[in-house]
Amino acid sequence: MEMESKKKRNLHIPDDIVFNILRRLPPKSFARFKCVCKSWQSFANQHKYHNQKLILFSGKTIQSVDFEADEIKAVDLDIPFKVSSAILQIASCNGLLCILTEREGFVIWNPLIGRYKRVSNASEYDNFGFWYDHSTDNYKIVRFMRFLDPNSESLQRYSAEIYSQKGNSWQPNEILPWQICSILGYSHHGNSLFGVLVNETLYWKIKYINNDKKYIPAVLCFDTLNEKFDVIISPVNAHVFDLVVLKGQLCLVEYHKAGHMGMWTREVGKNQNWIKFMNLPPFERKSIFNYHLLPICSMKEDEILVCVRQLLTPLGFFLYSPEAKTYKKFHICDTRKHLFREITYKDSLVSP
């Protein structure tokens, strides 16, 4: 008996060795072992893959591009759920994709392990945001709905509702201030219905009525920690802009008629003023139509991946070098020409 108990004690393998073995497994195998014990499940959910990927989508098609692969090419993703109509928009958080379809509503999907969850269908919506609540280990969606103010038949207002993955239900959040007259769903890269997530805060472009009763561009922000909204006035004279994430920071991309772009970010600290940190020159290519550039993400050697469009038609991807101030073609094989929307994401083993 004593010998048997000693053998059992000797069979114990330290967690760090086990975890080192697990992280080397193919993702789908790794995901299956999550159910062995709580420590394995916790390790799998916290495990981070650092390979940045690009999602291209339109209609009923989604492609993935792995920047770390030997060959940079777009691979069709096998969608395991029914999409009977167009995919309107996709947001990402911690390796999960929150997909909004025209008829089926929201679906939360992890393309790495193939698991998905349908969200109870929404009736009317107008923009949304997707994030992870660390305090409750819960994925959430906030959506906006429009209604006419009962005190003014011509005034359109917005209300917000929040979906909890654990509760699988929508709950009212708050009615937004009347000064928010429009949450914009249009950008230089097509319809953009989702909020940009940066450091526990979601951001949307809006039209705002200031104290002088003038319509001005602004930014609506949603603090996901306390689930409260606030409004940030955009930089002076920044009338046409997009919001993107570069190196983990919120960036406001200001478009000028001459074709160049100004890149703004916010100070860290109490003031949080807008600071312009870069200017991108015009994309030089002879055409009777205007070209629009949208920065997508930061790449190696501080280069910026941009998508070039002409009348919302994608013409390809380019790398902009801040040091040389030049653009060079970035080849992605097997992309479909009609896929004209894109987001970035990183793999994870989190189950929706």
Side-chain angles (χ1 to χ4, degrees):
M1 290 291 293
E2 187 178 349
M3 289 293 293
E4 289 182 6
S5 62
K6 284 184 178 179
K7 285 181 179 180
K8 287 182 179 179
R9 285 198 297 269
N10 291 334
L11 285 175
H12 174 72
I13 302 175
D15 285 346
D16 57 341
I17 296 177
V18 173
F19 295 157
N20 192 38
I21 295 171
L22 288 175
R23 66 163 56 95
R24 297 170 186 270
L25 294 175
K28 290 188 177 181
S29 298
F30 193 173
R32 284 198 294 268
F33 288 130
K34 287 171 59 176
C35 60
V36 170
C37 62
K38 288 184 177 180
S39 63
W40 288 24
Q41 182 181 36
S42 176
F43 175 73
N45 288 339
Q46 295 174 16
H47 181 65
K48 303 291 185 183
Y49 289 95
H50 299 290
N51 55 329
Q52 184 168 238
K53 292 186 176 181
L54 184 69
I55 288 286
L56 308 173
F57 66 97
S58 184
K60 300 179 184 180
T61 304
I62 304 176
Q63 290 188 310
S64 174
V65 180
D66 187 350
F67 294 133
E68 302 297 325
D70 294 332
E71 183 184 11
I72 308 299
K73 64 178 181 178
V75 178
D76 287 2
L77 295 182
D78 184 15
I79 303 174
F81 47 86
K82 181 182 178 182
V83 180
S84 59
S85 56
I87 295 172
L88 298 177
Q89 194 53 262
I90 301 178
S92 70
C93 177
N94 287 356
L96 295 183
L97 301 180
C98 181
I99 302 173
L100 177 60
T101 62
E102 195 169 20
R103 292 182 184 174
E104 287 83 13
F106 291 102
V107 180
I108 301 175
W109 176 38
N110 186 326
L112 184 67
I113 62 176
R115 297 180 184 176
Y116 70 92
K117 179 180 181 179
R118 288 196 179 277
V119 174
S120 53
N121 209 355
S123 52
E124 295 291 333
Y125 56 84
D126 196 281
N127 288 278
F128 71 97
F130 179 55
W131 80 98
Y132 173 64
D133 185 344
H134 293 272
S135 63
T136 60
D137 186 26
N138 198 5
Y139 285 87
K140 295 183 177 181
I141 303 171
V142 60
R143 73 183 183 195
F144 302 106
M145 288 165 291
R146 287 178 283 189
F147 67 95
L148 289 176
D149 191 322
N151 299 319
S152 174
E153 294 183 357
S154 61
L155 182 61
Q156 178 179 269
R157 304 261 322 254
Y158 286 91
S159 65
E161 290 185 347
I162 293 178
Y163 170 82
S164 165
Q165 179 198 31
K166 286 189 173 179
N168 195 29
S169 62
W170 294 92
Q171 298 295 330
N173 176 257
E174 66 175 277
I175 295 176
L176 272 60
W178 64 269
Q179 291 92 338
I180 299 173
C181 57
S182 178
I183 300 175
L184 301 177
Y186 174 83
S187 71
H188 280 73
H189 59 297
N191 292 324
S192 179
L193 299 174
F194 69 94
V196 175
L197 179 63
V198 185
N199 298 331
E200 317 294 345
T201 303
L202 287 160
Y203 300 89
W204 296 264
K205 297 185 303 179
I206 61 171
K207 281 187 178 180
Y208 186 76
I209 302 175
N210 64 10
N211 294 332
D212 298 327
K213 306 299 182 184
K214 293 182 178 180
Y215 292 87
I216 62 171
V219 177
L220 175 67
C221 60
F222 178 67
D223 186 338
T224 63
L225 297 178
N226 56 33
E227 298 186 351
K228 296 294 182 182
F229 289 94
D230 197 5
V231 173
I232 304 169
I233 303 302
S234 59
V236 178
N237 298 323
H239 299 297
V240 182
F241 62 85
D242 279 323
L243 300 173
V244 299
V245 182
L246 293 178
K247 292 186 176 180
Q249 289 187 315
L250 176 71
C251 291
L252 184 147
V253 185
E254 177 190 8
Y255 298 97
H256 297 272
K257 290 183 179 179
H260 67 278
M261 296 181 295
M263 304 283 286
W264 299 75
T265 190
R266 300 186 74 204
E267 284 181 312
V268 177
K270 292 183 178 180
N271 294 329
Q272 293 190 328
N273 296 319
W274 289 104
I275 300 174
K276 182 181 283 190
F277 66 94
M278 187 187 302
N279 282 307
L280 271 68
F283 181 72
E284 297 180 1
R285 192 168 176 177
K286 294 181 180 180
S287 172
I288 60 173
F289 300 108
N290 290 330
Y291 287 92
H292 297 299
L293 279 72
L294 177 75
I296 298 173
C297 61
S298 298
M299 303 288 280
K300 295 178 180 178
E301 299 178 359
D302 291 330
E303 292 181 318
I304 299 173
L305 180 67
V306 300
C307 182
V308 178
R309 304 181 183 281
Q310 186 183 74
L311 300 178
L312 295 183
T313 300
L315 298 178
F317 296 95
F318 290 78
L319 287 176
Y320 174 73
S321 169
E323 183 178 353
K325 294 183 172 54
T326 57
Y327 297 96
K328 65 180 179 182
K329 181 71 175 178
F330 184 75
H331 295 279
I332 301 178
C333 302
D334 301 334
T335 56
R336 301 196 183 188
K337 291 183 178 180
H338 69 279
L339 298 183
F340 58 89
R341 300 178 190 172
E342 63 282 318
I343 63 164
T344 58
Y345 86 110
K346 292 182 180 181
D347 288 327
S348 80
L349 294 170
V350 175
S351 296

